[in-house]
Amino acid sequence: MECTERVSEKEIGSKTTQQGVQNIVSMALASNLPNQKSTFFLRKSSDPRMAFEMVKDFVLHSFKLYELFIDYLPVEIKRAIKKLEYKLKSSKKKFWKGKTKEYQHLRFLRKFTTFPLYGFNSSKVYFFKYSNSLNMFSMT
Amino acid sequence: MKILIPFLYEFQSKFDGYDVQVLKRGTSYFNVTIERKADKAIISLRDVLQYTSPCNLDSYLKQWGAKFTKSIFPHGHFDSIESMRNCVNFPEKEAFFNTLKQAPVDDEQYEKAKKFYASQMMPNMSFWLEYYNSLDVEPLVEALSNSFAKFHDLFSIDPNMELSLPTVAFKAMFRLFDPSLPYCFTFDKQRSHLREQHRRSILGGLSSVYHRHIDLSGDYTGPINSRIAPNGDLFSHVVFLDFNRY
């Protein structure tokens, strides 16, 4: 993800701290799924709605990749999930021996169906205020 | 992710059937999930830095054998996407000044980028942005695949199933443990001298040094969290205790 930056304040507290405004302008997505090229999303205009449109396109494209990802998942895992889900839902008994174990297995198997998207240094939280389309940032 | 999350919540509010969950831990968004409720399809947004020791992108890519072509982009030069599209010529060197590091762009890097821009006959700087973006993501996929494959080869662990390196390390540790051995071991009274000998050889351990920005100047220029304590009072003094010494 790339943003344009406008620094509003410099050197607050230390030399490596600055405050400003970040506006999202583009996103790129590459995958190691077979025959997939990287995809680039560019904001159409400065209109704040266009930033949302770009993120929406990114999310919907990610779900398309998810479909492909699931296609490559071994059928045994999908079958096991369905089987366990059916067993846990359809049982007339409220409690039975091994129910917790079966939930544990189901949770483990569902991890295989989660589609991970990785960013680099994307998780850091800096204190910020969010208003309209502007993101106040403070980066150290 | 801090920029993305407000848009994801907007996405959730405008499109029925999607659920966004944010898991924050410490100073980072640990895991952000978007679930399509109809088929329980889950996308999980994570940070590569949760699976490695602290480093920058350049060293991470080098470490995991991915080809990385470092390039430049004038983040502070454009204030809108329109100004980027209107910029047909490669910007001047001053536009690439790094305000965070307070450093100018490297001459060689700038000339290389400028030549490449001209050689590709890019119509405007938005095309350069596409090129710049792809330089980041494609090698990252290669590096991440190499890294995760190594975890799998050495420890039979798929890091995709875990959320961070400590969990991966924890599982790897137990996998390397001989299952025929008892789970815990301690010396009995008869062999207490061995325990004491072992403890004598411990010289130190891991330590963390934390930074806390506190502004006691009273001139109201610092960020609010540096001036006001959680109870709403102004900070008057700071005490930093090292509990290892007590």
Side-chain angles (χ1 to χ4, degrees), chain B residues 70-239:
Chain B
K70 200 171 183 176
S71 195
I72 50 172
F73 190 79
H75 289 93
H77 183 61
F78 301 111
D79 55 4
S80 66
I81 186 72
E82 287 81 4
S83 63
M84 205 180 290
R85 282 203 181 99
N86 291 335
C87 182
V88 178
N89 297 320
F90 202 69
E92 293 300 314
K93 205 180 152 195
E94 290 72 35
F96 294 86
F97 186 81
N98 188 328
T99 52
L100 188 66
K101 292 179 182 170
Q102 289 293 307
V105 68
D106 179 62
D107 286 338
E108 197 184 326
Q109 226 173 25
Y110 174 77
E111 290 304 327
K112 199 176 163 189
K114 195 175 176 180
K115 271 185 191 167
F116 187 79
Y117 181 80
S119 70
Q120 297 297 305
M121 288 186 282
M122 293 185 187
N124 59 57
M125 280 302 281
S126 70
F127 287 82
W128 180 257
L129 178 66
E130 181 173 355
Y131 166 72
Y132 179 77
N133 253 190
S134 65
L135 283 183
D136 276 356
V137 293
E138 283 165 7
L140 185 61
V141 168
E142 191 186 344
L144 203 58
S145 304
N146 292 344
S147 161
F148 283 14
K150 206 50 105 183
F151 277 114
H152 194 262
D153 292 347
L154 295 174
F155 305 113
S156 307
I157 287 173
D158 180 5
N160 282 310
M161 304 279 280
E162 315 301 337
L163 290 177
S164 67
L165 194 60
T167 326
V168 174
F170 182 77
K171 292 203 169 171
M173 185 182 75
F174 277 104
R175 274 175 197 270
L176 293 171
F177 191 80
D178 184 349
S180 63
L181 291 172
Y183 285 132
C184 299
F185 180 81
T186 187
F187 296 104
D188 54 19
K189 276 186 181 174
Q190 285 175 323
R191 295 172 187 83
S192 191
H193 64 282
L194 290 173
R195 181 182 54 81
E196 279 166 17
Q197 196 179 6
H198 176 70
R199 288 188 72 86
R200 267 203 305 275
S201 67
I202 298 174
L203 296 173
L206 293 172
S207 64
S208 303
V209 179
Y210 297 101
H211 293 264
R212 180 74 166 90
H213 178 195
I214 301 290
D215 186 353
L216 302 175
S217 64
D219 60 4
Y220 298 98
T221 54
I224 196 161
N225 287 344
S226 72
R227 293 185 282 108
I228 298 170
N231 66 358
D233 293 343
L234 283 169
F235 280 119
S236 59
H237 64 282
V238 184
V239 178

Side-chain angles (χ1 to χ4, degrees), chain A residues 2 38 46 67 117-118 125, chain B residues 36 44 75 82 133 138 160:
Chain A
E2 295 296 337
S38 62
S46 295
E67 310 290 346
L117 290 182
Y118 296 94
V125 179
Chain B
R36 190 169 60 194
S44 167
H75 289 93
E82 287 81 4
N133 253 190
E138 283 165 7
N160 282 310

Side-chain angles (χ1 to χ4, degrees), chain A:
Chain A
M1 182 195 293
E2 295 296 337
C3 298
T4 56
E5 296 171 359
R6 260 184 299 153
V7 178
S8 59
E9 287 179 68
K10 286 179 190 171
E11 295 189 15
I12 298 163
S14 74
K15 283 181 181 174
T16 54
T17 302
Q18 64 185 31
Q19 288 192 8
V21 177
Q22 277 190 315
N23 273 313
I24 184 170
V25 286
S26 72
M27 296 172 92
L29 189 64
S31 162
N32 61 354
L33 288 167
N35 307 320
Q36 288 299 305
K37 286 182 180 174
S38 62
T39 318
F40 179 68
F41 304 89
L42 183 67
R43 187 171 170 161
K44 283 174 186 155
S45 76
S46 295
D47 187 331
R49 283 171 298 183
M50 289 300 121
F52 171 71
E53 285 299 313
M54 187 182 72
V55 174
K56 186 193 86 182
D57 291 346
F58 169 79
V59 173
L60 295 177
H61 180 76
S62 301
F63 274 106
K64 274 184 193 168
L65 286 180
Y66 173 88
E67 310 290 346
L68 202 62
F69 164 76
I70 288 296
D71 284 347
Y72 282 104
L73 202 67
V75 72
E76 290 81 3
I77 294 174
K78 290 183 249 184
R79 262 190 226 146
I81 289 172
K82 275 190 181 172
K83 201 174 171 182
L84 279 168
E85 277 177 343
Y86 178 77
K87 190 177 177 186
L88 289 161
K89 268 186 186 173
S90 62
S91 177
K92 285 175 186 171
K93 288 181 192 170
K94 203 171 180 182
F95 300 104
W96 70 89
K97 200 180 173 185
K99 184 182 176 182
T100 318
K101 203 77 188 164
E102 276 160 4
Y103 263 114
Q104 199 181 340
H105 289 155
L106 184 61
R107 275 198 303 275
F108 176 76
L109 289 168
R110 274 185 184 153
K111 280 187 183 180
F112 285 103
T113 65
T114 300
F115 183 49
L117 290 182
Y118 296 94
F120 193 88
N121 197 15
S122 58
S123 65
K124 197 83 177 166
V125 179
Y126 306 99
F127 54 90
F128 71 99
K129 295 166 188 170
Y130 178 72
S131 78
N132 301 328
S133 65
L134 301 176
N135 288 285
M136 294 300 294
F137 73 94
S138 173
M139 294 179 75
T140 305

